[in-house]
Amino acid sequence: MIAATVSMLTLGIPAVSAHAGSAQAGTRTSISEVNSFPKSGSVVATVYIPRLRNRVWGQPILEDTMARQLAQGFGHYVGTAMPGQPGNFAIAAHRRGPMAPLYDIDHLRKGDRVIVHQGHQWFFYTLTTTMIVRPSAMWILDPAPRNVIKAGAVPRPIVTLQTCTPATTSTHRWIWWGVLSKVVTSSTMPTLK
């Protein structure tokens, strides 16, 4: 098993290994073994959020969540699933500062879409669950977070969006989860209805 390091927004949240324990249940979970990850800083995908179209429309998602990646848009948590794969495709972005894609995270609603584009694949996730957590709540990166996937269920493709809250501090994290609802194969953007 690769001991991938997951760094939490670089705002005072400690890094954890890919065998992160659940902060709430005291159980151990593991991220599926992956033989290779994208190079840190490389573009993993792009993201579109119709409700946040003014800030999140074709934003790059870079591998890793270090300061230099988040300064350019979204960062993908090393060791979490890739778009469309079973498990948790976890990404983070700033809420304040020059590059703040999730500035308006408070505008998101259940049922909103998060569209992730990678290659010729368009992954449509539907937001289902939101929560404010403390920075120590590392279970949010689990392949099947307990409030999104029922206990004992097989992990399915989900997306996690994370940013700091309140907007002017980093004392808590605002989380949105969504489940994969559709995949479209196309070299051009599909119609977004």
Side-chain angles (χ1 to χ4, degrees), residues 53-74:
R53 187 181 188 111
N54 291 338
R55 290 183 179 266
V56 187
W57 201 255
Q59 282 288 318
I61 302 170
L62 303 179
E63 182 67 8
D64 213 336
T65 55
M66 302 302 286
R68 73 179 158 268
Q69 283 82 11
L70 295 179
Q72 298 176 60
F74 284 82

Side-chain angles (χ1 to χ4, degrees), residues 123 156 179:
F123 302 97
R156 58 192 268 200
V179 297

Side-chain angles (χ1 to χ4, degrees), residues 6-9 63-65 75-80 90-92 141 162:
V6 177
S7 58
M8 300 289 292
L9 286 182
E63 182 67 8
D64 213 336
T65 55
H76 170 248
Y77 284 101
V78 174
T80 65
I91 59 177
L141 300 177
Q162 176 181 296

Side-chain angles (χ1 to χ4, degrees), residues 110-131:
K110 185 176 180 177
D112 283 349
R113 289 171 301 170
V114 174
I115 301 126
V116 177
H117 176 230
Q118 185 183 53
H120 292 296
Q121 300 280 292
W122 298 82
F123 302 97
F124 288 71
Y125 295 89
T126 301
L127 296 180
T128 60
T129 310
T130 189
M131 183 179 281

